[in-house]
Amino acid sequence: MSLPTDFVTEVEQDRRRYRRKQTTRSVLISAASTLVFAVVVALVLANSPGWAVTRETFFSGHYFQLALPAVLKGLWLNVRILFFAVIGVAILAVILATLRSLRGPVFFPLRFLAAAYTDLFRGMPFLIVLYLIGFGIPALNPTERIPAAVLGTIALILTYASYVAEVLRAGLEAVHPSQRFAARSLGLTHGQTLRHIIVPQAVRKVTPALMNDFISMQKDVGLISVLGAVDAIRAAQIQQATTYNFTSYVVAGLLFVAFSWPFIRLSDWYTARLRRREQSGGVV
Amino acid sequence: MLDVKGVVKRFGDNVVLNRLDLTVDQHEVVALIGASGSGKSTLLRCVNLLEQVDDGQIFLSGTDITDPRINADKVRAQLGVVFQHYNLFPHLSVLDNITLAARKVHRTDVAVAEQRGMDLLRRIGLEDKAKAFPDRLSGGQQQRVAIVRAIATDPELLLLDEITSALDPILVGEVLDLVRHLRETGSTILMATHEIAFARTVADRVVFLDGGRIVEQGPPAQVIDAPTEQATRDFLSRVLH
Ligand SMILES: Nc1ncnc2c1ncn2[C@@H]1O[C@H](COP(=O)(O)OP(=O)(O)OP(=O)(O)O)[C@@H](O)[C@H]1O
Ligand SMILES: [Mg+2]
């Protein structure tokens, strides 16, 4: 290029100064409003009559330390269950979504069963599935003791596979039909079209929804404590029963948040990135 | 009217506009031509404030619209824009598409806005499609509706980016006739186009862009039929033969 573009005119420098000032200003304003908000909350709390007792029962440093090891150990069980449940959900959901997308009258029974399954489990509260599996299967089979954690994992898989299957199916259908025609007219077979064209685009569409399901699974894995498996919540409950102090629940809650926080941020970041890419590629 | 002064636009290391100067006078129709990737769309997007310039200034009716202190929505309300893909809103009828900005942005009375919308539709011979939805229209009809939507609020400047490149030759004719009509009624237009023949008949001035700068500009008879610069000759010989 003939003129150096890294030389910046006075007007542009002025604009940049102004934008920097605006940025600083908004940072300052948000900091100030956060501070005011925090002070108000703190004052309201500190002035409420039961605050001293509440603080001791829910936010006691002593009981926090006491509960932490047991609750952490419980969380490790949650993590392992989540690991196996995610694998199970992935497999079952793909099978269900595939069954539901099968075309042709021969497959009607399979399609119908898959649809009935997803309808049933999407409608049923997870707690009820847990009870039915957790207490129903052992009742069918009284001689053999199946660990509560295994039953909880199964319940989690059954429920979440139905959500995820629907997300996958919707994603496949959301790819514009012209993409399929374009691929078929290049001579790709039905299978190749699915593998190289439809699925890659569908994955991009469904990833935010899938990440959201995963985050909600991370919390729901705590519900298996109702079956008696000693996970983080159950460990907190045991602590509470012996000390009559509720800090252990706060510990469990904080640990769950800390555990899922990275994924929550990741999912937000990824969704924002997808949106930006669509914007710059778009015609506007 | 429009005054582009020393505008720089970069994408990473790619300098797309390199201290570009351009003026468009009132009632003037200016055609931007140039190879694919020469920055025609980028320039229009900068004028429309969809892109932030990296240096230089753009004045619209004397106001510096690159100044971050001004309200970008106010500036865009003075501009009419049509892109290559007629971005009609699929969930609104043709008439609602045309009257949307008048009703929501300019707060015109609904009856007045619809009256004006119907007048415009009559001008492009589509008054019987007023209640139809965009997917019931042909490509040329959709593009004409998009142009009419852009002029419905009497913008000071109309920006057109390759408005015919998604259309077949017959539909192109329909759309170009409409642009000619707009020129006769005194609209100010800045358009990017690959239709050299069209630029020749409708533009007051043709501007040839290359390497992020204006290489040559002037009346069509001069730039298209008797170009003085080698780059212009090369480009024209490639597109005309
Ligand atoms: N959002 C973006 N990010 C990065 N580079 C971009 C972006 N938009 C445009 N470019 C680059 O800027 C250059 C100019 O693009 P522009 O769309 O303005 O060209 P054009 O003259 O309109 O071409 P055409 O005639 O094909 O429409 C190209 O090299 C393009 O790759
Ligand atoms: Mg372009």
Side-chain angles (χ1 to χ4, degrees), chain B residues 137-170:
Chain B
L137 268 53
S138 76
Q141 290 171 337
Q142 289 188 40
Q143 191 62 295
R144 280 184 287 155
V145 171
I147 295 172
V148 160
R149 179 178 70 177
I151 61 167
T153 52
D154 293 317
E156 296 186 32
L157 173 67
L158 197 56
L159 304 174
L160 308 177
D161 192 1
E162 315 270 4
I163 51 170
T164 54
S165 58
L167 303 173
D168 75 42
I170 294 170

PDB file of all heavy atoms in Angstrom, chain B residues 137-170:
ATOM      1  N   LEU B 137     -43.606 -14.243  -3.212  1.00  0.00           N
ATOM      2  CA  LEU B 137     -43.163 -13.328  -4.265  1.00  0.00           C
ATOM      3  C   LEU B 137     -41.964 -13.909  -5.005  1.00  0.00           C
ATOM      4  O   LEU B 137     -41.190 -14.676  -4.428  1.00  0.00           O
ATOM      5  CB  LEU B 137     -42.756 -11.987  -3.655  1.00  0.00           C
ATOM      6  CG  LEU B 137     -43.817 -10.885  -3.547  1.00  0.00           C
ATOM      7  CD1 LEU B 137     -45.055 -11.389  -2.839  1.00  0.00           C
ATOM      8  CD2 LEU B 137     -43.250  -9.691  -2.822  1.00  0.00           C
ATOM      9  N   SER B 138     -41.815 -13.519  -6.269  1.00  0.00           N
ATOM     10  CA  SER B 138     -40.619 -13.922  -7.002  1.00  0.00           C
ATOM     11  C   SER B 138     -39.427 -13.121  -6.489  1.00  0.00           C
ATOM     12  O   SER B 138     -39.596 -12.129  -5.782  1.00  0.00           O
ATOM     13  CB  SER B 138     -40.805 -13.655  -8.488  1.00  0.00           C
ATOM     14  OG  SER B 138     -40.672 -12.271  -8.733  1.00  0.00           O
ATOM     15  N   GLY B 139     -38.226 -13.566  -6.880  1.00  0.00           N
ATOM     16  CA  GLY B 139     -37.015 -12.889  -6.429  1.00  0.00           C
ATOM     17  C   GLY B 139     -37.010 -11.414  -6.794  1.00  0.00           C
ATOM     18  O   GLY B 139     -36.697 -10.547  -5.975  1.00  0.00           O
ATOM     19  N   GLY B 140     -37.381 -11.118  -8.046  1.00  0.00           N
ATOM     20  CA  GLY B 140     -37.380  -9.726  -8.495  1.00  0.00           C
ATOM     21  C   GLY B 140     -38.404  -8.898  -7.740  1.00  0.00           C
ATOM     22  O   GLY B 140     -38.143  -7.751  -7.371  1.00  0.00           O
ATOM     23  N   GLN B 141     -39.572  -9.509  -7.499  1.00  0.00           N
ATOM     24  CA  GLN B 141     -40.599  -8.796  -6.736  1.00  0.00           C
ATOM     25  C   GLN B 141     -40.108  -8.529  -5.315  1.00  0.00           C
ATOM     26  O   GLN B 141     -40.283  -7.429  -4.782  1.00  0.00           O
ATOM     27  CB  GLN B 141     -41.883  -9.626  -6.703  1.00  0.00           C
ATOM     28  CG  GLN B 141     -42.565  -9.695  -8.067  1.00  0.00           C
ATOM     29  CD  GLN B 141     -43.709 -10.699  -8.081  1.00  0.00           C
ATOM     30  OE1 GLN B 141     -43.752 -11.626  -7.279  1.00  0.00           O
ATOM     31  NE2 GLN B 141     -44.633 -10.514  -9.010  1.00  0.00           N
ATOM     32  N   GLN B 142     -39.466  -9.546  -4.710  1.00  0.00           N
ATOM     33  CA  GLN B 142     -38.973  -9.354  -3.347  1.00  0.00           C
ATOM     34  C   GLN B 142     -37.945  -8.233  -3.302  1.00  0.00           C
ATOM     35  O   GLN B 142     -37.958  -7.389  -2.404  1.00  0.00           O
ATOM     36  CB  GLN B 142     -38.331 -10.645  -2.829  1.00  0.00           C
ATOM     37  CG  GLN B 142     -39.327 -11.734  -2.535  1.00  0.00           C
ATOM     38  CD  GLN B 142     -38.680 -12.910  -1.837  1.00  0.00           C
ATOM     39  OE1 GLN B 142     -37.827 -12.758  -0.967  1.00  0.00           O
ATOM     40  NE2 GLN B 142     -39.071 -14.100  -2.215  1.00  0.00           N
ATOM     41  N   GLN B 143     -37.043  -8.229  -4.298  1.00  0.00           N
ATOM     42  CA  GLN B 143     -35.997  -7.213  -4.274  1.00  0.00           C
ATOM     43  C   GLN B 143     -36.610  -5.825  -4.478  1.00  0.00           C
ATOM     44  O   GLN B 143     -36.182  -4.855  -3.866  1.00  0.00           O
ATOM     45  CB  GLN B 143     -34.941  -7.532  -5.346  1.00  0.00           C
ATOM     46  CG  GLN B 143     -33.681  -6.706  -5.252  1.00  0.00           C
ATOM     47  CD  GLN B 143     -32.932  -6.918  -3.938  1.00  0.00           C
ATOM     48  OE1 GLN B 143     -33.436  -6.587  -2.861  1.00  0.00           O
ATOM     49  NE2 GLN B 143     -31.740  -7.463  -4.002  1.00  0.00           N
ATOM     50  N   ARG B 144     -37.636  -5.724  -5.322  1.00  0.00           N
ATOM     51  CA  ARG B 144     -38.276  -4.424  -5.503  1.00  0.00           C
ATOM     52  C   ARG B 144     -38.962  -3.984  -4.209  1.00  0.00           C
ATOM     53  O   ARG B 144     -38.929  -2.804  -3.851  1.00  0.00           O
ATOM     54  CB  ARG B 144     -39.285  -4.480  -6.662  1.00  0.00           C
ATOM     55  CG  ARG B 144     -38.585  -4.370  -8.017  1.00  0.00           C
ATOM     56  CD  ARG B 144     -39.579  -4.338  -9.149  1.00  0.00           C
ATOM     57  NE  ARG B 144     -40.182  -5.639  -9.361  1.00  0.00           N
ATOM     58  CZ  ARG B 144     -41.374  -5.828  -9.921  1.00  0.00           C
ATOM     59  NH1 ARG B 144     -42.080  -4.790 -10.311  1.00  0.00           N
ATOM     60  NH2 ARG B 144     -41.847  -7.037 -10.082  1.00  0.00           N
ATOM     61  N   VAL B 145     -39.571  -4.927  -3.526  1.00  0.00           N
ATOM     62  CA  VAL B 145     -40.182  -4.580  -2.242  1.00  0.00           C
ATOM     63  C   VAL B 145     -39.097  -4.111  -1.270  1.00  0.00           C
ATOM     64  O   VAL B 145     -39.277  -3.131  -0.527  1.00  0.00           O
ATOM     65  CB  VAL B 145     -40.968  -5.772  -1.647  1.00  0.00           C
ATOM     66  CG1 VAL B 145     -41.411  -5.461  -0.224  1.00  0.00           C
ATOM     67  CG2 VAL B 145     -42.166  -6.100  -2.517  1.00  0.00           C
ATOM     68  N   ALA B 146     -37.937  -4.787  -1.278  1.00  0.00           N
ATOM     69  CA  ALA B 146     -36.854  -4.403  -0.368  1.00  0.00           C
ATOM     70  C   ALA B 146     -36.397  -2.973  -0.658  1.00  0.00           C
ATOM     71  O   ALA B 146     -36.115  -2.197   0.258  1.00  0.00           O
ATOM     72  CB  ALA B 146     -35.683  -5.380  -0.494  1.00  0.00           C
ATOM     73  N   ILE B 147     -36.333  -2.633  -1.955  1.00  0.00           N
ATOM     74  CA  ILE B 147     -35.903  -1.272  -2.304  1.00  0.00           C
ATOM     75  C   ILE B 147     -36.958  -0.259  -1.864  1.00  0.00           C
ATOM     76  O   ILE B 147     -36.646   0.780  -1.265  1.00  0.00           O
ATOM     77  CB  ILE B 147     -35.650  -1.165  -3.826  1.00  0.00           C
ATOM     78  CG1 ILE B 147     -34.473  -2.068  -4.209  1.00  0.00           C
ATOM     79  CG2 ILE B 147     -35.361   0.273  -4.223  1.00  0.00           C
ATOM     80  CD1 ILE B 147     -34.251  -2.184  -5.696  1.00  0.00           C
ATOM     81  N   VAL B 148     -38.205  -0.588  -2.119  1.00  0.00           N
ATOM     82  CA  VAL B 148     -39.287   0.304  -1.727  1.00  0.00           C
ATOM     83  C   VAL B 148     -39.327   0.459  -0.207  1.00  0.00           C
ATOM     84  O   VAL B 148     -39.562   1.537   0.326  1.00  0.00           O
ATOM     85  CB  VAL B 148     -40.617  -0.234  -2.295  1.00  0.00           C
ATOM     86  CG1 VAL B 148     -41.777   0.347  -1.539  1.00  0.00           C
ATOM     87  CG2 VAL B 148     -40.720   0.104  -3.768  1.00  0.00           C
ATOM     88  N   ARG B 149     -39.039  -0.650   0.499  1.00  0.00           N
ATOM     89  CA  ARG B 149     -38.990  -0.571   1.961  1.00  0.00           C
ATOM     90  C   ARG B 149     -37.905   0.416   2.382  1.00  0.00           C
ATOM     91  O   ARG B 149     -38.076   1.191   3.323  1.00  0.00           O
ATOM     92  CB  ARG B 149     -38.702  -1.955   2.558  1.00  0.00           C
ATOM     93  CG  ARG B 149     -38.612  -1.935   4.071  1.00  0.00           C
ATOM     94  CD  ARG B 149     -38.387  -3.316   4.645  1.00  0.00           C
ATOM     95  NE  ARG B 149     -37.045  -3.817   4.342  1.00  0.00           N
ATOM     96  CZ  ARG B 149     -36.581  -4.979   4.776  1.00  0.00           C
ATOM     97  NH1 ARG B 149     -37.356  -5.778   5.496  1.00  0.00           N
ATOM     98  NH2 ARG B 149     -35.363  -5.380   4.482  1.00  0.00           N
ATOM     99  N   ALA B 150     -36.766   0.399   1.672  1.00  0.00           N
ATOM    100  CA  ALA B 150     -35.657   1.273   2.041  1.00  0.00           C
ATOM    101  C   ALA B 150     -35.978   2.745   1.777  1.00  0.00           C
ATOM    102  O   ALA B 150     -35.471   3.620   2.468  1.00  0.00           O
ATOM    103  CB  ALA B 150     -34.393   0.868   1.292  1.00  0.00           C
ATOM    104  N   ILE B 151     -36.822   3.026   0.756  1.00  0.00           N
ATOM    105  CA  ILE B 151     -37.091   4.433   0.445  1.00  0.00           C
ATOM    106  C   ILE B 151     -38.374   4.927   1.091  1.00  0.00           C
ATOM    107  O   ILE B 151     -38.708   6.102   0.986  1.00  0.00           O
ATOM    108  CB  ILE B 151     -37.162   4.693  -1.082  1.00  0.00           C
ATOM    109  CG1 ILE B 151     -38.293   3.869  -1.704  1.00  0.00           C
ATOM    110  CG2 ILE B 151     -35.844   4.394  -1.750  1.00  0.00           C
ATOM    111  CD1 ILE B 151     -38.625   4.287  -3.112  1.00  0.00           C
ATOM    112  N   ALA B 152     -39.087   4.040   1.794  1.00  0.00           N
ATOM    113  CA  ALA B 152     -40.404   4.407   2.324  1.00  0.00           C
ATOM    114  C   ALA B 152     -40.329   5.566   3.309  1.00  0.00           C
ATOM    115  O   ALA B 152     -41.292   6.294   3.485  1.00  0.00           O
ATOM    116  CB  ALA B 152     -41.060   3.203   2.981  1.00  0.00           C
ATOM    117  N   THR B 153     -39.188   5.733   3.962  1.00  0.00           N
ATOM    118  CA  THR B 153     -39.087   6.796   4.955  1.00  0.00           C
ATOM    119  C   THR B 153     -38.311   7.996   4.410  1.00  0.00           C
ATOM    120  O   THR B 153     -37.813   8.806   5.184  1.00  0.00           O
ATOM    121  CB  THR B 153     -38.395   6.272   6.224  1.00  0.00           C
ATOM    122  OG1 THR B 153     -37.167   5.663   5.827  1.00  0.00           O
ATOM    123  CG2 THR B 153     -39.252   5.262   6.936  1.00  0.00           C
ATOM    124  N   ASP B 154     -38.225   8.084   3.069  1.00  0.00           N
ATOM    125  CA  ASP B 154     -37.510   9.192   2.424  1.00  0.00           C
ATOM    126  C   ASP B 154     -36.101   9.394   2.971  1.00  0.00           C
ATOM    127  O   ASP B 154     -35.783  10.459   3.506  1.00  0.00           O
ATOM    128  CB  ASP B 154     -38.289  10.504   2.585  1.00  0.00           C
ATOM    129  CG  ASP B 154     -39.582  10.466   1.805  1.00  0.00           C
ATOM    130  OD1 ASP B 154     -39.542   9.996   0.652  1.00  0.00           O
ATOM    131  OD2 ASP B 154     -40.619  10.882   2.360  1.00  0.00           O
ATOM    132  N   PRO B 155     -35.248   8.390   2.862  1.00  0.00           N
ATOM    133  CA  PRO B 155     -33.884   8.549   3.377  1.00  0.00           C
ATOM    134  C   PRO B 155     -33.126   9.581   2.541  1.00  0.00           C
ATOM    135  O   PRO B 155     -33.462   9.782   1.369  1.00  0.00           O
ATOM    136  CB  PRO B 155     -33.276   7.166   3.211  1.00  0.00           C
ATOM    137  CG  PRO B 155     -34.029   6.561   2.073  1.00  0.00           C
ATOM    138  CD  PRO B 155     -35.432   7.091   2.185  1.00  0.00           C
ATOM    139  N   GLU B 156     -32.146  10.203   3.179  1.00  0.00           N
ATOM    140  CA  GLU B 156     -31.367  11.195   2.444  1.00  0.00           C
ATOM    141  C   GLU B 156     -30.456  10.521   1.435  1.00  0.00           C
ATOM    142  O   GLU B 156     -30.118  11.095   0.411  1.00  0.00           O
ATOM    143  CB  GLU B 156     -30.522  12.004   3.420  1.00  0.00           C
ATOM    144  CG  GLU B 156     -31.380  12.798   4.381  1.00  0.00           C
ATOM    145  CD  GLU B 156     -30.530  13.702   5.230  1.00  0.00           C
ATOM    146  OE1 GLU B 156     -29.486  14.170   4.729  1.00  0.00           O
ATOM    147  OE2 GLU B 156     -30.907  13.923   6.390  1.00  0.00           O
ATOM    148  N   LEU B 157     -30.017   9.297   1.784  1.00  0.00           N
ATOM    149  CA  LEU B 157     -29.066   8.600   0.936  1.00  0.00           C
ATOM    150  C   LEU B 157     -29.451   7.129   0.889  1.00  0.00           C
ATOM    151  O   LEU B 157     -29.787   6.533   1.906  1.00  0.00           O
ATOM    152  CB  LEU B 157     -27.655   8.759   1.510  1.00  0.00           C
ATOM    153  CG  LEU B 157     -26.527   7.969   0.848  1.00  0.00           C
ATOM    154  CD1 LEU B 157     -26.286   8.473  -0.567  1.00  0.00           C
ATOM    155  CD2 LEU B 157     -25.254   8.076   1.667  1.00  0.00           C
ATOM    156  N   LEU B 158     -29.413   6.588  -0.331  1.00  0.00           N
ATOM    157  CA  LEU B 158     -29.761   5.187  -0.500  1.00  0.00           C
ATOM    158  C   LEU B 158     -28.489   4.400  -0.808  1.00  0.00           C
ATOM    159  O   LEU B 158     -27.735   4.771  -1.711  1.00  0.00           O
ATOM    160  CB  LEU B 158     -30.763   5.075  -1.662  1.00  0.00           C
ATOM    161  CG  LEU B 158     -31.582   3.814  -1.819  1.00  0.00           C
ATOM    162  CD1 LEU B 158     -32.364   3.510  -0.553  1.00  0.00           C
ATOM    163  CD2 LEU B 158     -32.521   3.968  -3.013  1.00  0.00           C
ATOM    164  N   LEU B 159     -28.233   3.343  -0.041  1.00  0.00           N
ATOM    165  CA  LEU B 159     -27.061   2.503  -0.273  1.00  0.00           C
ATOM    166  C   LEU B 159     -27.531   1.177  -0.859  1.00  0.00           C
ATOM    167  O   LEU B 159     -28.365   0.493  -0.261  1.00  0.00           O
ATOM    168  CB  LEU B 159     -26.317   2.234   1.045  1.00  0.00           C
ATOM    169  CG  LEU B 159     -25.874   3.456   1.842  1.00  0.00           C
ATOM    170  CD1 LEU B 159     -25.296   3.024   3.187  1.00  0.00           C
ATOM    171  CD2 LEU B 159     -24.844   4.247   1.059  1.00  0.00           C
ATOM    172  N   LEU B 160     -27.032   0.825  -2.028  1.00  0.00           N
ATOM    173  CA  LEU B 160     -27.460  -0.418  -2.678  1.00  0.00           C
ATOM    174  C   LEU B 160     -26.237  -1.299  -2.906  1.00  0.00           C
ATOM    175  O   LEU B 160     -25.281  -0.880  -3.546  1.00  0.00           O
ATOM    176  CB  LEU B 160     -28.133  -0.119  -4.020  1.00  0.00           C
ATOM    177  CG  LEU B 160     -29.273   0.908  -4.017  1.00  0.00           C
ATOM    178  CD1 LEU B 160     -29.777   1.137  -5.443  1.00  0.00           C
ATOM    179  CD2 LEU B 160     -30.413   0.463  -3.115  1.00  0.00           C
ATOM    180  N   ASP B 161     -26.255  -2.504  -2.389  1.00  0.00           N
ATOM    181  CA  ASP B 161     -25.103  -3.399  -2.551  1.00  0.00           C
ATOM    182  C   ASP B 161     -25.471  -4.609  -3.393  1.00  0.00           C
ATOM    183  O   ASP B 161     -26.153  -5.512  -2.923  1.00  0.00           O
ATOM    184  CB  ASP B 161     -24.596  -3.841  -1.164  1.00  0.00           C
ATOM    185  CG  ASP B 161     -23.231  -4.517  -1.276  1.00  0.00           C
ATOM    186  OD1 ASP B 161     -22.702  -4.603  -2.405  1.00  0.00           O
ATOM    187  OD2 ASP B 161     -22.708  -4.953  -0.237  1.00  0.00           O
ATOM    188  N   GLU B 162     -25.021  -4.628  -4.621  1.00  0.00           N
ATOM    189  CA  GLU B 162     -25.224  -5.770  -5.526  1.00  0.00           C
ATOM    190  C   GLU B 162     -26.669  -6.234  -5.506  1.00  0.00           C
ATOM    191  O   GLU B 162     -26.937  -7.418  -5.318  1.00  0.00           O
ATOM    192  CB  GLU B 162     -24.360  -6.965  -5.090  1.00  0.00           C
ATOM    193  CG  GLU B 162     -22.957  -6.626  -4.726  1.00  0.00           C
ATOM    194  CD  GLU B 162     -22.028  -6.700  -5.910  1.00  0.00           C
ATOM    195  OE1 GLU B 162     -22.521  -6.952  -7.022  1.00  0.00           O
ATOM    196  OE2 GLU B 162     -20.834  -6.485  -5.720  1.00  0.00           O
ATOM    197  N   ILE B 163     -27.585  -5.286  -5.712  1.00  0.00           N
ATOM    198  CA  ILE B 163     -28.985  -5.645  -5.534  1.00  0.00           C
ATOM    199  C   ILE B 163     -29.506  -6.571  -6.601  1.00  0.00           C
ATOM    200  O   ILE B 163     -30.590  -7.106  -6.484  1.00  0.00           O
ATOM    201  CB  ILE B 163     -29.873  -4.391  -5.495  1.00  0.00           C
ATOM    202  CG1 ILE B 163     -29.565  -3.509  -6.690  1.00  0.00           C
ATOM    203  CG2 ILE B 163     -29.678  -3.643  -4.194  1.00  0.00           C
ATOM    204  CD1 ILE B 163     -30.556  -2.394  -6.842  1.00  0.00           C
ATOM    205  N   THR B 164     -28.731  -6.784  -7.677  1.00  0.00           N
ATOM    206  CA  THR B 164     -29.267  -7.633  -8.746  1.00  0.00           C
ATOM    207  C   THR B 164     -28.532  -8.961  -8.867  1.00  0.00           C
ATOM    208  O   THR B 164     -28.895  -9.789  -9.687  1.00  0.00           O
ATOM    209  CB  THR B 164     -29.172  -6.924 -10.108  1.00  0.00           C
ATOM    210  OG1 THR B 164     -27.814  -6.529 -10.306  1.00  0.00           O
ATOM    211  CG2 THR B 164     -30.070  -5.718 -10.152  1.00  0.00           C
ATOM    212  N   SER B 165     -27.513  -9.199  -8.036  1.00  0.00           N
ATOM    213  CA  SER B 165     -26.669 -10.358  -8.322  1.00  0.00           C
ATOM    214  C   SER B 165     -27.326 -11.688  -7.974  1.00  0.00           C
ATOM    215  O   SER B 165     -26.826 -12.733  -8.355  1.00  0.00           O
ATOM    216  CB  SER B 165     -25.314 -10.225  -7.627  1.00  0.00           C
ATOM    217  OG  SER B 165     -25.503 -10.085  -6.262  1.00  0.00           O
ATOM    218  N   ALA B 166     -28.458 -11.657  -7.258  1.00  0.00           N
ATOM    219  CA  ALA B 166     -29.125 -12.925  -6.982  1.00  0.00           C
ATOM    220  C   ALA B 166     -30.302 -13.157  -7.934  1.00  0.00           C
ATOM    221  O   ALA B 166     -31.115 -14.037  -7.706  1.00  0.00           O
ATOM    222  CB  ALA B 166     -29.605 -12.969  -5.533  1.00  0.00           C
ATOM    223  N   LEU B 167     -30.368 -12.359  -9.013  1.00  0.00           N
ATOM    224  CA  LEU B 167     -31.563 -12.416  -9.863  1.00  0.00           C
ATOM    225  C   LEU B 167     -31.227 -12.835 -11.291  1.00  0.00           C
ATOM    226  O   LEU B 167     -30.118 -12.616 -11.764  1.00  0.00           O
ATOM    227  CB  LEU B 167     -32.215 -11.025  -9.903  1.00  0.00           C
ATOM    228  CG  LEU B 167     -32.591 -10.438  -8.556  1.00  0.00           C
ATOM    229  CD1 LEU B 167     -33.064  -9.012  -8.737  1.00  0.00           C
ATOM    230  CD2 LEU B 167     -33.664 -11.273  -7.885  1.00  0.00           C
ATOM    231  N   ASP B 168     -32.215 -13.399 -11.977  1.00  0.00           N
ATOM    232  CA  ASP B 168     -31.979 -13.727 -13.391  1.00  0.00           C
ATOM    233  C   ASP B 168     -32.200 -12.471 -14.238  1.00  0.00           C
ATOM    234  O   ASP B 168     -32.772 -11.484 -13.770  1.00  0.00           O
ATOM    235  CB  ASP B 168     -32.858 -14.906 -13.815  1.00  0.00           C
ATOM    236  CG  ASP B 168     -34.306 -14.515 -13.997  1.00  0.00           C
ATOM    237  OD1 ASP B 168     -34.575 -13.436 -14.568  1.00  0.00           O
ATOM    238  OD2 ASP B 168     -35.170 -15.284 -13.564  1.00  0.00           O
ATOM    239  N   PRO B 169     -31.726 -12.483 -15.501  1.00  0.00           N
ATOM    240  CA  PRO B 169     -31.699 -11.255 -16.312  1.00  0.00           C
ATOM    241  C   PRO B 169     -33.042 -10.528 -16.407  1.00  0.00           C
ATOM    242  O   PRO B 169     -33.072  -9.293 -16.377  1.00  0.00           O
ATOM    243  CB  PRO B 169     -31.266 -11.759 -17.687  1.00  0.00           C
ATOM    244  CG  PRO B 169     -30.478 -12.978 -17.398  1.00  0.00           C
ATOM    245  CD  PRO B 169     -31.108 -13.616 -16.201  1.00  0.00           C
ATOM    246  N   ILE B 170     -34.140 -11.265 -16.512  1.00  0.00           N
ATOM    247  CA  ILE B 170     -35.432 -10.587 -16.655  1.00  0.00           C
ATOM    248  C   ILE B 170     -35.788  -9.847 -15.371  1.00  0.00           C
ATOM    249  O   ILE B 170     -36.211  -8.687 -15.383  1.00  0.00           O
ATOM    250  CB  ILE B 170     -36.526 -11.598 -17.040  1.00  0.00           C
ATOM    251  CG1 ILE B 170     -36.214 -12.139 -18.433  1.00  0.00           C
ATOM    252  CG2 ILE B 170     -37.898 -10.938 -17.015  1.00  0.00           C
ATOM    253  CD1 ILE B 170     -37.054 -13.305 -18.844  1.00  0.00           C
TER     254      ILE B 170
END
